[in-house]
Amino acid sequence: MNLFIVDDDQTFVFLTKKTISSTKIESQISEFNDGQEAIDYLKSIAGNALLLPDIIFLDIFMPILDGWGFLEEYKLLLPKLAKKIDIYIVSSTIAPYDIERAKSHPMVSDLFIKPLVKDKIIELLNK
Amino acid sequence: MEKSQNINNKQGLNETLVQLKCIFENAIHAIIVINPDGVILYWNPKARVIFDWTEEETFGKKIHEIIIPEAGRNEHLSWMEQFNEGKVVNNTHEISALRKNNTDVNIALGISLSTINGERFYICYISDLTDRKLISSRLDKQKEFYENILNKIPTDIAVFDKEHRYLFVNPGAIKDEELRKYIIGKDDFEYAAYRKRDTSLAQVRREQFLEVKKSGREMRWEDSLKSPEGNTITHLRRLFPVLDEKGELSMVIGFGIDITERKLLEEKQALYVEQLSLQNVQLVDFCNIVSHNLRAPLVNMSMLVTFIEESTDEQERKFLISKFKPVIENLHTTFNELVESIQIKQDIEIQSENINLEMCLNRTLEPFEAEISRSGAVIERKFNEAPEILFPPKYLFSIFHNLISNSLKYKSPQRKPHIIIETKKANNNIILSVSDNGLGIDLVKHKDNFFKIGKVFHRNPNAKGFGLYMTKTHVDAMDGKIWAESTPDKGTTIFIEFKNQY
């Protein structure tokens, strides 16, 4: 399982990785500090199905390019991607409009409010 | 009988009268022929219809005794006298006359002089004014009715001919009666010249008129004028063409309705909407702060606690506990920043002072000295147009600090920082601009987030997204305006408008 975590909160990334490793599911995790870093990398590997992730955990509130900005760019990149990727928004948001927007966004598979608990991760990674 | 014979003797005259009789018998006017003494020689059937006297009854009598009422006789006689002297010729008089039954009848009396066989005769043409009076009084009433509507309607109305000359204006449009009379047949340019006014409005009106004339369609617009009391009065105006039966333009009607009250209401509504949307933006900001800056660290701490509880390895527990420190520090900073911004929003009592910008800037630059000399930054100041700003000193100091800090922080690696700080007068306000030649940002992408809390656009470890948020908070608190211009890799200019400076 190839997994990207796009989040500027270092502590959260550390804790999520720890949770994933505790599931004992074999996975390869790449971290990105903001949307721009992630989109730049995705562009560079767009044609390579081996390197492309199965799942992206995407934060909303990030510097440089936030989660929504990432999704805009991702939409343009989509036709070039060699693989289908599930994007999950993982956010600490409590704003109803964020939740509504994430749920109705065509590029987004689902939305999870932080923290990302172990059971949820197992369910996702076993899909 | 004597007089009859007298006329019969005058053979020629008799013949003439017989001839005249033929003509006058069927005339639509009453016709009475008299001699210079006022003696009636002929009385036609129409005269009988008006006065009820027959020709036989009146023959040989003096006209004033028959149809002129007692009160008007002297006047009539003096008029006749003047007439005899040749002073009044072919004049028509409107007078009140008497019928046989002593009732009044209004008549128009015209007299013309004829000389037949060397003798003078007067032919009196008389028409009954009763019918005309009746019609004209009805017309007057109708006129009054329409004028009442046109004059009292709270609308200004003007009617123009094809050449844009006034055919009619109501008092709503021009109050002064003299001016209202003057303008008929004139155009706006003549009127402006007469009133010694600028012709720019006349020019606008002419263009609108020509447009309506050309398109054949109605035109609507709103315009606002200052009343003599200084209030703004707004009118909804319409100009529409009126076509004749051939489809050709016969006139153009313009009218305006005072919509000042509606306009004021609309403006009030717009203000409320603006306030509401501003409050909504603040609410969204607050939601973001709570979500990202407060809830996120709490989530992290609760996750850490869970891991620590589950862990049995002492080494690992220590490592996890060490992870608390940055989270708590972050929370602490956020907390302090929030308190600071809330204090500004609550401190409505804060006093403004006249601040010398040169001095304020010098003080601001002190903590940056080392950084300025390290980076070789040049800081240019142009305060001569507005050397002072009226503002709370604490706020202005913070604004300068944040803006200069940003310009130094986001400098281009290729260039030495060049910062220009300038003030300019703008009516009652002063516009401060701080421009740099730094990294700049793509405002098309980031314009909604530029001044928001926690928004960072460059990978800089010291970027927290708080400086511009605080600057905006300071400016907003004093009812000012802040905006930005920026081009990636060219630089950024932040503008701040300080209100009510003079």
Side-chain angles (χ1 to χ4, degrees):
Chain A
M1 180 69 65
N2 190 353
L3 182 70
F4 282 11
I5 302 178
V6 189
D7 199 322
D8 60 324
D9 184 342
Q10 303 299 322
T11 311
F12 179 77
V13 173
F14 163 78
L15 291 167
T16 302
K17 276 164 75 181
K18 199 166 167 58
T19 312
I20 293 167
S21 75
S22 74
T23 64
K24 306 278 191 296
I25 296 171
E26 206 173 300
S27 59
Q28 190 195 332
I29 300 167
S30 308
E31 300 165 32
F32 302 89
N33 266 315
D34 57 66
Q36 196 62 52
E37 272 187 16
I39 208 78
D40 287 347
Y41 184 66
L42 280 176
K43 273 181 192 163
S44 71
I45 59 160
N48 192 333
L50 277 176
L51 292 177
L52 285 171
D54 303 292
I55 291 174
I56 296 174
F57 287 160
L58 180 68
D59 187 19
I60 296 175
F61 209 95
M62 286 182 292
I64 321 280
L65 189 66
D66 67 9
W68 304 124
F70 171 88
L71 288 169
E72 293 279 309
E73 303 258 328
Y74 179 82
K75 196 175 153 188
L76 302 175
L77 188 63
L78 197 60
K80 293 178 195 147
L81 290 178
K83 186 170 158 187
K84 187 188 175 311
I85 303 168
D86 285 329
I87 297 178
Y88 295 96
I89 284 189
V90 182
S91 169
S92 60
T93 189
I94 53 158
Y97 53 85
D98 273 342
I99 294 167
E100 194 50 48
R101 194 172 168 190
K103 294 245 184 214
S104 62
H105 201 290
M107 306 285 141
V108 175
S109 300
D110 208 347
L111 160 97
F112 300 112
I113 305 297
K114 290 176 182 178
L116 208 47
V117 294
K118 194 171 163 183
D119 291 351
K120 201 87 219 171
I121 289 174
I122 292 171
E123 191 193 314
L124 277 180
L125 298 188
N126 283 335
K127 251 188 191 171
Chain B
M1 282 304 281
E2 267 178 36
K3 274 170 190 160
S4 164
Q5 276 171 350
N6 191 16
I7 288 168
N8 282 335
N9 291 341
K10 294 174 182 173
Q11 197 58 35
L13 177 65
N14 197 24
E15 268 171 32
T16 312
L17 275 177
V18 169
Q19 282 170 3
L20 282 175
K21 255 181 165 179
C22 291
I23 302 168
F24 293 157
E25 212 71 358
N26 297 312
I28 50 164
H29 286 106
I31 289 163
I32 302 168
V33 180
I34 53 172
N35 71 10
D37 297 327
V39 176
I40 297 167
L41 302 176
Y42 172 70
W43 181 275
N44 84 342
K46 181 71 185 179
R48 181 180 178 171
V49 171
I50 295 174
F51 298 105
D52 220 20
W53 297 102
T54 61
E55 190 187 1
E56 289 74 29
E57 284 171 325
T58 57
F59 189 81
K61 301 223 169 83
K62 290 205 167 175
I63 189 165
H64 63 268
E65 286 164 359
I66 296 285
I67 64 164
I68 305 298
E70 199 73 44
R73 267 178 210 169
N74 283 338
E75 199 188 337
H76 175 78
L77 287 174
S78 79
W79 186 56
M80 279 300 287
E81 213 168 290
Q82 283 180 24
F83 204 82
N84 277 333
E85 287 163 17
K87 279 182 189 158
V88 192
V89 181
N90 284 343
N91 207 345
T92 301
H93 269 216
E94 287 190 15
I95 56 170
S96 183
L98 270 185
R99 287 201 191 94
K100 190 179 177 183
N101 65 3
N102 262 335
T103 54
D104 287 337
V105 56
N106 286 312
I107 59 163
L109 172 63
I111 300 184
S112 68
L113 171 73
S114 320
T115 306
I116 302 169
N117 292 340
E119 273 200 63
R120 289 154 68 93
F121 293 94
Y122 297 119
I123 302 168
C124 308
Y125 303 88
I126 296 166
S127 56
D128 187 345
L129 289 180
T130 320
D131 294 347
R132 219 182 83 194
K133 278 262 161 75
L134 214 70
I135 291 165
S136 91
S137 108
R138 259 189 231 139
L139 279 175
D140 278 350
K141 267 192 190 144
Q142 226 164 41
K143 199 175 157 209
E144 203 182 327
F145 175 74
Y146 287 119
E147 274 185 356
N148 239 333
I149 294 175
L150 288 173
N151 293 353
K152 294 195 175 141
I153 199 165
T155 303
D156 46 16
I157 302 170
V159 183
F160 303 96
D161 68 8
K162 284 185 284 190
E163 308 307 323
H164 201 200
R165 286 183 298 251
Y166 283 87
L167 293 171
F168 170 83
V169 281
N170 77 336
I174 299 176
K175 222 182 256 170
D176 186 279
E177 205 185 331
E178 286 299 309
L179 290 172
R180 208 158 60 234
K181 275 186 189 151
Y182 169 83
I183 205 168
I184 301 304
K186 315 251 181 354
D187 66 14
D188 280 323
F189 291 95
E190 290 167 281
Y191 185 68
Y194 181 68
R195 306 234 31 211
K196 299 189 173 57
R197 284 179 175 171
D198 185 35
T199 55
S200 57
L201 188 63
Q203 190 58 47
V204 172
R205 294 273 190 265
R206 174 60 51 87
E207 275 157 26
Q208 286 165 328
F209 179 87
L210 290 175
E211 177 63 32
V212 168
K213 195 174 163 181
K214 195 176 139 200
S215 70
R217 276 200 305 270
E218 185 198 281
M219 187 182 240
R220 290 178 190 210
W221 72 96
E222 281 181 18
D223 65 18
S224 295
L225 298 164
K226 279 259 187 269
S227 75
E229 295 82 34
N231 302 320
T232 301
I233 296 171
T234 307
H235 280 96
L236 173 66
R237 295 196 182 280
R238 283 187 185 186
L239 198 62
F240 62 92
V242 178
L243 305 181
D244 61 17
E245 58 274 9
K246 283 180 220 147
E248 274 167 34
L249 185 78
S250 65
M251 58 185 178
V252 173
I253 301 175
F255 67 91
I257 306 166
D258 187 338
I259 53 162
T260 308
E261 266 176 54
R262 203 178 82 191
K263 203 74 196 162
L264 285 176
L265 213 68
E266 272 175 23
E267 276 166 19
K268 236 185 224 171
Q269 265 174 349
L271 200 70
Y272 288 148
V273 169
E274 199 185 331
Q275 278 173 351
L276 268 177
S277 77
L278 194 73
Q279 277 171 5
N280 196 43
V281 167
Q282 284 173 347
L283 208 66
V284 169
D285 280 349
F286 180 76
C287 233
N288 281 338
I289 296 162
V290 171
S291 298
H292 184 76
N293 303 59
L294 299 178
R295 196 173 173 278
L298 279 173
V299 165
N300 288 340
M301 285 196 280
S302 75
M303 281 171 88
L304 278 169
V305 170
T306 311
F307 279 124
I308 291 166
E309 279 173 349
E310 283 169 1
S311 175
T312 47
D313 180 356
E314 194 54 34
Q315 207 58 35
E316 191 190 42
R317 289 177 79 144
K318 269 194 175 163
F319 176 69
L320 287 170
I321 287 168
S322 75
K323 287 273 174 196
F324 267 108
K325 209 182 166 192
V327 178
I328 289 169
E329 268 172 12
N330 193 354
L331 202 54
H332 212 85
T333 316
T334 303
F335 181 79
N336 287 339
E337 287 170 347
L338 281 181
V339 168
E340 200 182 326
S341 77
I342 284 165
Q343 272 172 349
I344 293 166
K345 280 175 186 159
Q346 284 183 337
D347 193 357
I348 45 170
E349 301 274 281
I350 192 140
Q351 295 296 318
S352 290
E353 287 170 28
N354 269 318
I355 308 157
N356 182 289
L357 294 173
E358 198 74 37
M359 274 162 61
C360 181
L361 182 62
N362 286 342
R363 221 181 102 205
T364 313
L365 290 177
E366 275 168 29
F368 295 113
E369 255 166 38
E371 207 175 332
I372 290 169
S373 67
R374 199 184 323 123
S375 61
V378 174
I379 293 172
E380 218 180 306
R381 43 192 93 185
K382 294 177 180 171
F383 295 147
N384 38 344
E385 195 175 320
E388 282 188 347
I389 281 180
L390 181 69
F391 212 65
K394 201 165 74 178
Y395 291 2
L396 189 65
F397 181 74
S398 165
I399 288 171
F400 268 152
H401 181 92
N402 280 319
L403 294 183
I404 288 161
S405 159
N406 276 352
S407 288
L408 291 172
K409 202 187 290 175
Y410 305 115
K411 63 175 188 276
S412 162
Q414 272 99 41
R415 298 181 287 272
K416 283 180 181 174
H418 186 171
I419 305 168
I420 302 166
I421 305 160
E422 191 174 5
T423 48
K424 278 195 167 145
K425 283 184 187 175
N427 297 325
N428 286 329
N429 307 336
I430 291 175
I431 295 173
L432 168 81
S433 62
V434 177
S435 64
D436 63 45
N437 60 346
L439 292 169
I441 74 154
D442 184 351
L443 273 183
V444 178
K445 237 187 223 171
H446 297 299
K447 93 175 177 329
D448 292 341
N449 289 330
F450 198 60
F451 294 104
K452 281 195 183 152
I453 190 164
K455 289 291 174 186
V456 172
F457 313 101
H458 299 291
R459 290 190 187 97
N460 185 310
N462 294 320
K464 290 201 185 68
F466 194 66
L468 281 177
Y469 171 75
M470 278 307 292
T471 302
K472 182 167 163 54
T473 307
H474 283 128
V475 172
D476 284 349
M478 302 309 290
D479 211 22
K481 255 200 228 161
I482 185 164
W483 67 99
E485 285 171 7
S486 190
T487 314
D489 206 35
K490 284 268 153 53
T492 303
T493 306
I494 307 283
F495 298 92
I496 298 173
E497 187 169 23
F498 295 89
K499 295 266 160 124
N500 306 319
Q501 294 292 314
Y502 300 102

